[in-house]
Amino acid sequence: MSASDPRTPSRGRAAAVARTLAIPVAVVLAGAVCAVTLIALSAVTVPNMRVVVGEEPAAAPAPSGDPAPEPSEEPDASEEDEPEPTSAPSPAPEPQEPRTPPAAAEPDSVPPSAYNGSSTSVGTFRVVVELAYTDPTITNGTGSYAEAPAGWEYHIYRLNVTNEGSSPVIFDSSGTVGTATDGQKFSNDIDAEHTVAYDYFWSEIEPGTTVTTHIMFLAPVGTQFAHVLVAGQSDLRPS
């Protein structure tokens, strides 16, 4: 194309016109966008805020409507499922030893005469003390006698023995034990008893018959008997 082409000035003018028109169009569009933005912002409600210096905030108003439900007293299912802690079993109490009842206190003073008139039953026999005394020497009155060692003496119980049974029976004093007031025990002296009553010591006693016999102990001088177990069966105590 040569410099003398007549179309070149026409295109330059058209471009200049287009630029001139584009500026006001852009201004108009920008204004429209601003207007739309302002309208949108005016439609939004902005809360009013007030700052108060030196005053406590007012209590919040109670909510309207039904009151909130109270918490249930029923335990939570998770709590019910939890096992309770098991305490260790307490040890079993130790067995107590049986208590032996205290023995009855023996009397302080029991002279032989305290047995006069005392009685007990031994099997089919009724035994009554006729006379009780002490003596260092014993005899049957016919030449048979015995003497106690020094410091010792005989305790003599003269008895009336009645057979209350239905057949003849020998009164056997074996096993008789005298308990002194200090707790000492003495067995009866069979030899001394035989010395005094040799003539009927082993004789049977008929039913309903009463005979005189003896129970005797050899003990230190001053000994006193709290009770006498006759023939190991029945207790004879002071009257």
Side-chain angles (χ1 to χ4, degrees):
M1 184 178 295
S2 65
S4 64
D5 189 353
R7 291 177 296 179
T8 301
S10 299
R11 285 198 295 269
R13 286 193 296 270
V17 171
R19 285 193 296 271
T20 302
L21 293 175
I23 292 171
V25 171
V27 172
V28 172
L29 290 175
V33 171
C34 290
V36 171
T37 301
L38 290 174
I39 294 171
L41 291 175
S42 63
V44 178
T45 303
V46 180
N48 295 327
M49 299 180 64
R50 184 179 62 178
V51 178
V52 179
V53 179
E55 295 182 5
E56 295 181 1
S64 60
D66 297 335
E70 296 181 358
S72 174
E73 295 181 357
E74 296 182 359
D76 189 10
S78 60
E79 296 180 357
E80 292 181 353
D81 296 338
E82 293 181 0
E84 296 182 357
T86 303
S87 58
S90 57
E94 297 182 359
Q96 297 182 353
E97 296 181 359
R99 297 182 178 179
T100 303
E106 303 293 358
D108 295 332
S109 177
V110 185
S113 58
Y115 283 88
N116 294 345
S118 298
S119 63
T120 188
S121 294
V122 181
T124 61
F125 293 107
R126 184 65 179 170
V127 178
V128 180
V129 178
E130 178 184 337
L131 182 65
Y133 59 98
T134 61
D135 198 319
T137 303
I138 56 174
T139 179
N140 65 353
T142 60
S144 178
Y145 72 97
E147 187 173 347
W152 291 66
E153 62 186 355
Y154 292 101
H155 286 251
I156 305 165
Y157 296 81
R158 188 163 67 192
L159 311 177
N160 292 324
V161 179
T162 303
N163 182 2
E164 296 180 340
S166 58
S167 60
V169 183
I170 294 175
F171 176 74
D172 187 1
S173 64
S174 300
T176 298
V177 177
T179 301
T181 54
D182 60 1
Q184 294 188 73
K185 295 181 182 298
F186 297 84
S187 296
N188 63 316
D189 191 332
I190 297 293
D191 291 339
E193 292 173 359
H194 186 264
T195 297
V196 173
Y198 75 96
D199 54 341
Y200 58 81
F201 187 76
W202 298 111
S203 300
E204 291 184 340
I205 302 175
E206 296 294 329
T209 302
T210 299
V211 300
T212 300
T213 189
H214 294 74
I215 286 178
M216 307 181 70
F217 298 96
L218 183 61
V221 173
T223 301
Q224 294 184 340
F225 288 100
H227 59 93
V228 175
L229 186 65
V230 180
Q233 302 180 38
S234 302
D235 217 17
L236 182 65
R237 291 183 176 272
S239 57

